[in-house]
Amino acid sequence: MATKLAWRAVIVFIWWCVITTTTQAIWLDLPNSGTKCVSEDIHNNVVVLADYSVINNQEDSHLHPGATISVKVTSPYGNNLHHKENTTHGQFAFTTTESGNYLACFWVDGNHRPGDRLTVSLEWRVGIAAKDWESVAKKEKIEGVEFELTKLEGAVEAIHENLIYLKTREVEMRQVSEKTNARVAWFSIMSLGVCIGASALQVWYLKRFFHKKKLI
């Protein structure tokens, strides 16, 4: 009995860690002019699912009449993944094909009344959090402990992939840092050489000048 409880606690803890690191629910206060964006660093071949909706701050949980927004989601290389205008709510979903920062930008359309505050609710799910586990359970006809173990397996795979991705990014950043340090070192040596050369040239010029003037 104690072993089962311990395993269940481990499953719940791992699942909670994965969900909290791959799910973001935020509110964005949009200005009357300008754009507000949200970005996330995501590696390749990851499922992303997000829901967004306009919230009226004066009447909680109701849409502001006539208030609409535009939404644009782009990949790290600028590819357009989702673009919608004059909307109050929507959803976008895609599987990443590039590693890097994915950007979701929101701005207020022209028919919004100036002075009114407009807020957008965004729920951003990545990887294991975006998976429809109910459909998986129905399709594979699993339930109970087996279903929990399937979710745990998916969570462990997601953690493993994230660790590999972080390790790869760490190697890339270390290489960039080493190249930068090498360039700075060479620049410092070149600067020192230029200073020494300029000093030697000044000494030679002054000696020649004094010899011509017969001062030395």
Side-chain angles (χ1 to χ4, degrees):
M1 184 66 180
T3 304
K4 290 182 178 180
L5 290 175
W7 272 108
R8 183 167 295 180
V10 171
I11 292 173
V12 170
F13 176 73
I14 295 178
W15 184 252
W16 178 82
C17 290
V18 173
I19 292 298
T20 53
T21 55
T22 55
T23 304
Q24 297 181 10
I26 57 176
W27 283 16
L28 300 174
D29 289 328
L30 302 184
N32 289 326
S33 61
T35 304
K36 185 163 286 190
C37 299
V38 177
S39 67
E40 184 166 356
D41 190 4
I42 310 173
H43 58 87
N44 189 24
N45 199 26
V46 174
V47 177
V48 178
L49 178 65
D51 296 281
Y52 57 88
S53 60
V54 177
I55 295 176
N56 180 14
N57 291 311
Q58 297 174 353
E59 298 175 9
D60 193 22
S61 300
H62 292 282
L63 296 177
H64 193 292
T68 59
I69 61 171
S70 294
V71 185
K72 186 175 183 180
V73 182
T74 55
S75 70
Y77 293 104
N79 297 321
N80 190 12
L81 302 175
H82 176 78
H83 189 197
K84 195 172 183 181
E85 298 180 350
N86 298 322
T87 184
T88 56
H89 64 280
Q91 182 184 83
F92 57 85
F94 57 88
T95 300
T96 59
T97 56
E98 307 160 3
S99 296
N101 278 320
Y102 284 79
L103 195 66
C105 293
F106 302 83
W107 64 91
V108 179
D109 288 325
N111 57 354
H112 177 60
R113 294 183 301 182
D116 290 341
R117 185 180 175 189
L118 196 63
T119 302
V120 174
S121 173
L122 174 65
E123 185 177 359
W124 182 292
R125 299 186 295 276
V126 178
I128 195 73
K131 195 169 185 178
D132 189 356
W133 287 105
E134 293 183 0
S135 299
V136 173
K138 292 178 180 179
K139 183 178 180 180
E140 299 183 5
K141 298 180 180 180
I142 56 178
E143 59 183 8
V145 177
E146 186 178 1
F147 178 57
E148 295 296 330
L149 290 175
T150 302
K151 291 198 294 184
L152 177 60
E153 183 182 4
V156 171
E157 290 178 357
I159 293 174
H160 180 65
E161 291 175 358
N162 285 332
L163 289 175
I164 293 176
Y165 174 67
L166 291 174
K167 185 177 180 180
T168 304
R169 290 300 301 271
E170 181 186 0
V171 172
E172 293 174 354
M173 292 179 66
R174 185 168 64 248
Q175 291 175 349
V176 171
S177 178
E178 290 174 354
K179 288 181 180 179
T180 304
N181 290 336
R183 290 174 181 174
V184 170
W186 277 110
F187 180 77
S188 300
I189 293 172
M190 290 176 60
S191 299
L192 181 61
V194 170
C195 291
I196 293 174
S199 300
L201 185 62
Q202 286 179 346
V203 171
W204 173 80
Y205 175 79
L206 289 174
K207 286 182 67 175
R208 185 181 177 186
F209 174 78
F210 289 142
H211 275 296
K212 283 184 176 182
K213 296 294 182 179
K214 297 181 180 181
L215 297 176
I216 56 173

